[in-house]
Amino acid sequence: MSDALLNPQLIRLGCRPADKDAAIREAGALLEAAGCIAPDYIDSLLRREAVANTYLGNGIAIPHGMAEDRAQVLRTGVAILQIPDGLEWNPGQRIHLLCAIAARSDDHLVMLRQLTRLLQDEARLLPLFTTTDSADLLAALAQPEAPLPPDAEAHDLDLCEEWRLDYPNGLHARPAALWVEAARRSPAQLQVRHGSQAADAKNLIALLQLGLRQGALLTVSARGPQAADGLKQLLRAMREASLAEQTAAAIAAQRAAAQRPRAGWQPSGQPVSLPGIAASPGLAIGTVRVLAGEQLRIVDRPVSLAEGGDRLHEALAATRRRLAALADATQATLGAAEAGIFRAQAELLNDTDLITLSCQLMVAGHGVEWSWHQAVERLAEKISALGNPLLAARAADLRDVGRRVLLELDPSLQGHAPGEFGPDTILLAADLAPSDTASLDLSRVKGLATAHGGPTAHTAILARTLGLPALVAAGPALLDVADGSPAILDGDAGRLYLNPSEHNLAAARDWQQRQREAQQQQQQACLQPGQTADGRRVEIAANLNRPEQVAGALNNGAEGVGLMRTEFLFLERDAAPDEEEQYQTYLAMQQALQGRPLIVRALDIGGDKQVPYLNLPVEDNPFLGVRGARLLLRRRELLEPQLRALYRAAKAGKPLSIMFPMISSLKEITRLKGWCEGVRKELDAPPVPIGIMVEVPAAALLADQLAPYVDFFSIGTNDLTQYALAMDRQHPELAAEADSLHPAVLRLIRQTVRGAAAHQRWVGVCGGSAGDPLGAAVLAGLGVDELSMSPSDIPAIKAMLRRHDYARLQALAEQALSCDSAEEVRQLLEALA
């Protein structure tokens, strides 16, 4: 390596910069003093950090300037700052060596290749973080290239403790995320080792690649600042996850044991068939269409790290935007749980190992498309090879999202889409990505079978939600089925019948007809008013976001909209919607409902719902901070346009009601009603009912005092449970315990109902408990007047209520109030199922 590229004058030891910007400026000053850059190039180094992550991994960052500023590089050079105490580069990323690059050509790649080798050789790398001799750095970076032995054993860090994994399903994504979260709270370096394999405890994919099963003996170790505290914190998170994992496994086992075999279609004779694993129930009759998987042929076109980094950053950003749009569309059509599949895929793009490996391959002289594809495949293959079905399913998600990024990098890799599917298609494929499954034309595709995959994969989950009969893991023989041949796919039995006889085809059609008739009967029942067996009326409404969701909700039996969430107007955009846009949306919702009840919740932002462009203050505990009504009362520019749009809609369209979230005092109600009345008078609009959400214990306990000032209450059981039990409802360890059927929560609901009844006010529930058949039963028994839920839950809730007399539900509700736990309440209510 030439002295012009790296020499002692470009190395500074023992640095203690105040922050990331100060470190970059210090390194830039070294480059400027050495005649490598013009002064303005330091600003270019800083701008790069706003658009890309230059953290290379294992304590090293490689800041470099923007490609368009290369003219400000006078000669190639690399300045190195050694930071013995470490410096936070990005959350969860701490550096000890900063290598600032000024490159006129690709000369610096020699040094970057050496850096990537050092990343994998802790024995050589770690002493460089504290050496007092710059010659050590020069020597390490000048060593000839030599690959590490593939069987090199991992070594523990300074402080160690052993722990045996007791999770019934081994280590999978949910508990691993808890480990990462705990590890990232510590500035120490933290590691988990199993045998000869070790993983950075702050890296999710690295932990999953260990393939840890129940009973695995682990060595957890730490080094660096606050190592002892970091180790203790990580071990605590690992142990605390045990209860949640064991509880989840027990619940899953109970559900599996409770499932009764479904009487499915039975063919006569011994027809030729291919077995697989049942993934989605139902029977499909049609013509086979084999979707041949195209092998991606990616040309390796080397580019500079600067150019490749820019292109990869843009592709990742574009993919995140597309996934957000797909998640929104999926939520509108299928539901929040299914939309979460694509939001989880977006999280995979944040994995540092994935980005680092891509950068390392580019540093080694490969093109950005080739590097990205290799990084995705290497990590996915490692996860797939672990033999854990849960992790194998996540490997499919990684490949799906990786393919999306690849197509952003090179749209020509899209290949040829299959011709339009004919009617009654049974689609056969090696595997199908979740995003492809979600976009299938269900008017043509009637069944799905894959050679690979598993019933826990997101593709299978989406097929079940779509009502598409499916089987998975049928093996490579599936792809040898003749394209265009007739078949019957049995999603209940997990079997594909080939070239069925006319007799079996007729029997299968008869079975389908009987199923359709049963579904029609269920549909007709769900369109009847919600009531108990003895005629006690309970209004059943839907929780919706947008007007286009109304038709589907009405088909499922919704009698109105009990919760229109308006925050979705404010998400996934760069600025708040203006008054006119909001008005048109509310008017469209009224028109779609054709006079049915509509309750619009005022903007509910804060807590778990953050909007970047609003510049909300960072809070230590946002769930206990400025959210909901508290925010609206502090941000007139958000409240007033929304109220104007709502009252304009009330004046121009059908009736609506306004509901304010997160109310905890009478003062908040009177202030908000004052705003409403001022806007109403200004617009000469009619009065509208004004209600509040009961989400905090204070509102429930004061219901009798608040009732004279509002027209109705709507209980948000998710938040009410969270605040009553002091359990974060999104905490992976506590979510199973934050059960809305806890007797304490039920007592708060009863107090709300009684307080409202004293002043002839009605009470609804729009939280998750309303869509749980057991929850709906106990809520009706407590005297709740309205239940609002996801549209897909409505038929089951109406069926539950129609099976039981109100007196029985009342008696069970009273018994539930005396139970000791949510588990006991659920056991009490099981007789209703």
Side-chain angles (χ1 to χ4, degrees):
M1 189 178 303
S2 68
D3 290 341
L5 181 61
L6 181 63
N7 57 59
Q9 287 72 42
L10 285 169
I11 297 176
R12 184 168 291 173
L13 304 178
C15 300
R16 290 179 173 79
D19 53 28
K20 180 178 177 178
D21 281 10
I24 292 173
R25 291 186 184 280
E26 188 172 348
L30 284 178
L31 290 169
E32 182 186 354
C36 296
I37 61 171
D40 288 346
Y41 195 71
I42 295 175
D43 290 333
S44 185
L45 291 168
L46 293 167
R47 288 203 308 279
R48 163 73 65 176
E49 295 303 318
V51 299
N53 184 1
T54 60
Y55 180 73
L56 194 58
N58 242 17
I60 300 176
I62 52 169
H64 45 284
M66 304 294 285
E68 61 265 25
D69 298 327
R70 186 166 290 181
Q72 296 173 15
V73 178
L74 308 179
R75 65 182 180 86
T76 299
V78 178
I80 297 182
L81 299 189
Q82 179 212 58
I83 309 171
D85 295 337
L87 174 71
E88 185 178 60
W89 198 249
N90 290 308
Q93 298 171 348
R94 195 167 185 84
I95 70 161
H96 293 274
L97 289 180
L98 182 154
C99 305
I101 300 168
R104 287 189 60 82
S105 64
D106 290 337
D107 293 342
H108 65 293
L109 291 180
V110 177
M111 192 209 71
L112 289 179
R113 288 192 187 98
Q114 184 61 29
L115 277 174
T116 59
R117 288 195 302 279
L118 279 173
L119 288 175
Q120 305 168 62
D121 188 353
E122 285 193 353
R124 292 172 55 212
L125 175 62
L126 294 179
L128 301 181
F129 293 170
T130 54
T131 183
T132 57
D133 189 347
S134 60
D136 292 340
L137 277 165
L138 290 170
L141 293 172
Q143 280 192 7
E145 298 187 15
L148 288 172
D151 57 350
E153 288 195 7
H155 297 283
D156 298 325
L157 305 179
D158 299 341
L159 299 177
C160 305
E161 189 168 332
E162 288 189 341
W163 182 70
R164 193 171 293 279
L165 185 72
D166 59 359
Y167 305 167
N169 292 316
L171 183 67
H172 55 99
R174 184 176 61 240
L178 295 175
W179 295 17
V180 171
E181 182 183 344
R184 286 183 176 174
R185 288 197 292 266
S186 170
Q189 182 184 357
L190 293 162
Q191 177 183 281
V192 177
R193 179 178 64 80
H194 175 52
S196 62
Q197 301 292 316
D200 178 359
K202 298 180 181 181
N203 189 296
L204 180 64
I205 287 183
L207 287 171
L208 294 179
Q209 287 173 348
L210 292 176
L212 301 177
R213 297 177 180 273
Q214 185 179 24
L217 182 63
L218 310 180
T219 301
V220 187
S221 59
R223 171 186 292 146
Q226 303 175 37
D229 286 343
L231 182 61
K232 181 179 178 182
Q233 195 168 275
L234 175 56
L235 284 164
R236 184 188 301 120
M238 295 164 75
R239 292 180 178 120
E240 287 176 350
S242 295
L243 178 60
E245 285 302 297
Q246 290 165 11
T247 301
I251 291 172
Q254 290 170 0
R255 287 175 178 169
Q259 287 180 344
R260 295 176 176 84
R262 177 176 169 179
W265 172 74
Q266 296 293 329
S268 61
Q270 294 182 327
V272 177
S273 66
L274 283 175
I277 297 175
S280 180
L283 201 66
I285 305 170
T287 303
V288 162
R289 178 66 191 273
V290 181
L291 187 61
E294 291 189 49
Q295 188 68 35
L296 288 175
R297 296 182 179 178
I298 301 169
V299 179
D300 191 359
R301 294 184 287 263
V303 295
S304 69
L305 182 64
E307 179 186 343
D310 281 345
R311 290 182 55 209
L312 181 58
H313 172 76
E314 291 167 2
L316 291 169
T319 303
R320 289 188 185 97
R321 290 194 295 272
R322 291 184 187 276
L323 284 170
L326 180 57
D328 283 348
T330 303
Q331 179 152 332
T333 55
L334 301 182
E338 290 73 20
I341 291 171
F342 302 109
R343 295 195 172 101
Q345 284 192 352
E347 283 300 315
L348 290 173
L349 297 179
N350 297 327
D351 186 81
T352 54
D353 268 3
L354 191 59
I355 308 300
T356 299
L357 181 53
S358 301
C359 291
Q360 289 171 350
L361 291 169
M362 282 189 280
V363 165
H366 296 289
V368 59
E369 297 92 348
W370 191 93
S371 298
W372 172 257
H373 182 61
Q374 283 294 311
V376 168
E377 283 301 310
R378 291 182 192 182
L379 293 178
E381 284 171 9
K382 286 182 181 179
I383 296 173
S384 296
L386 296 175
N388 183 323
L390 286 172
L391 300 186
R394 300 298 79 77
D397 286 318
L398 181 56
R399 286 190 169 101
D400 187 17
V401 76
R403 178 176 62 99
R404 286 179 162 274
V405 175
L406 201 56
L407 296 179
E408 294 290 345
L409 289 166
D410 185 357
S412 70
L413 293 171
Q414 181 72 54
H416 300 289
E420 188 178 65
F421 297 126
D424 298 330
T425 289
I426 296 178
L427 184 62
L428 311 188
D431 206 348
L432 209 61
S435 52
D436 293 331
T437 306
S439 59
L440 287 175
D441 181 356
L442 298 184
S443 68
R444 294 179 174 273
V445 178
K446 303 302 182 183
L448 170 66
T450 64
H452 310 301
T456 61
H458 285 150
T459 295
I461 293 170
L462 286 168
R464 290 193 288 272
T465 304
L466 291 166
L468 183 69
L471 64 88
V472 296
L478 182 75
L479 304 180
D480 294 331
V481 174
D483 197 85
S485 57
I488 298 174
L489 187 151
D490 187 344
D492 293 289
R495 192 167 284 272
L496 180 69
Y497 295 94
L498 304 174
N499 299 307
S501 66
E502 286 299 325
H503 176 75
N504 278 331
L505 283 171
R509 293 189 185 103
D510 287 344
W511 189 89
Q512 284 184 324
Q513 181 60 31
R514 292 195 299 272
Q515 293 299 110
R516 281 193 290 268
E517 289 171 357
Q519 289 172 358
Q520 287 171 359
Q521 291 175 357
Q522 293 173 0
Q523 181 69 20
Q524 290 171 358
C526 81
L527 294 178
Q528 298 300 312
Q531 61 184 35
T532 61
D534 54 348
R536 163 80 178 195
R537 188 78 168 88
V538 181
E539 187 176 343
I540 305 297
N543 297 339
L544 300 181
N545 305 331
R546 303 182 188 282
E548 55 267 27
Q549 299 171 324
V550 169
L554 296 180
N555 287 337
N556 272 7
E559 301 166 28
V561 171
L563 168 63
M564 179 187 178
R565 306 180 186 92
T566 60
E567 58 268 22
F568 288 91
L569 286 167
F570 292 74
L571 300 174
E572 303 297 340
R573 56 192 299 157
D574 299 324
D578 60 19
E579 177 187 324
E580 184 62 26
E581 181 182 348
Q582 294 189 63
Y583 164 67
Q584 293 295 340
T585 302
Y586 306 143
L587 194 63
M589 183 70 87
Q590 290 173 306
Q591 292 167 347
L593 284 167
Q594 299 178 347
R596 296 176 180 86
L598 168 61
I599 300 175
V600 182
R601 182 174 69 187
L603 179 62
D604 187 13
I605 290 293
D608 58 333
K609 296 187 284 284
Q610 295 292 325
V611 180
Y613 62 81
L614 293 182
N615 297 315
L616 302 180
V618 176
E619 298 177 298
D620 290 338
N621 191 336
F623 283 103
L624 299 180
V626 179
R627 58 172 298 205
R630 300 169 187 171
L631 176 66
L632 293 174
L633 288 169
R634 288 165 171 80
R635 298 288 290 267
R636 175 175 177 172
E637 77 278 11
L638 295 176
L639 176 60
E640 187 169 5
Q642 184 166 43
L643 291 180
R644 289 181 59 83
L646 285 167
Y647 275 102
R648 284 175 61 193
K651 184 176 181 179
K654 305 291 183 180
L656 60 78
S657 301
I658 300 174
M659 177 167 66
F660 290 104
M662 281 298 293
I663 295 293
S664 58
S665 69
L666 178 58
K667 181 180 179 181
E668 290 169 337
I669 295 172
T670 55
R671 289 182 64 194
L672 287 165
K673 289 187 70 175
W675 276 101
C676 289
E677 185 61 14
V679 169
R680 187 194 72 77
K681 287 181 177 178
E682 182 182 343
L683 295 174
D684 192 26
V688 302
I690 294 174
I692 64 168
M693 291 197 69
V694 176
E695 298 169 281
V696 298
L701 296 170
L702 292 174
D704 59 335
Q705 296 182 38
L706 302 181
Y709 298 89
V710 299
D711 296 298
F712 62 92
F713 295 105
S714 186
I715 301 171
T717 54
N718 299 344
D719 267 327
L720 185 61
T721 302
Q722 168 174 257
Y723 293 123
L725 302 183
M727 287 183 182
D728 183 347
R729 58 187 169 89
Q730 294 185 333
H731 196 296
E733 291 181 47
L734 301 175
E737 298 176 58
D739 191 330
S740 297
L741 293 189
H742 192 288
V745 180
L746 298 181
R747 291 186 181 204
L748 289 170
I749 294 171
R750 180 181 64 173
Q751 186 150 350
T752 303
V753 171
R754 288 181 172 178
H759 298 275
Q760 293 78 50
R761 301 295 189 261
W762 66 267
V763 177
V765 174
C766 61
S769 189
D772 173 1
L774 299 183
V778 75
L779 290 170
L782 289 172
V784 166
D785 303 286
E786 178 238 39
L787 299 171
S788 190
M789 64 205 69
S790 296
S792 59
D793 293 329
I794 290 174
I797 299 303
K798 283 192 171 181
M800 163 67 83
L801 294 175
R802 284 181 172 273
R803 286 199 298 269
H804 304 289
D805 289 339
Y806 180 56
R808 187 184 184 203
L809 298 181
Q810 276 186 308
L812 284 171
E814 283 300 316
Q815 288 180 260
L817 294 170
S818 301
C819 289
D820 296 326
S821 65
E823 290 82 4
E824 189 178 343
V825 172
R826 288 193 177 277
Q827 290 173 4
L828 171 71
L829 299 174
E830 282 298 333
L832 296 173

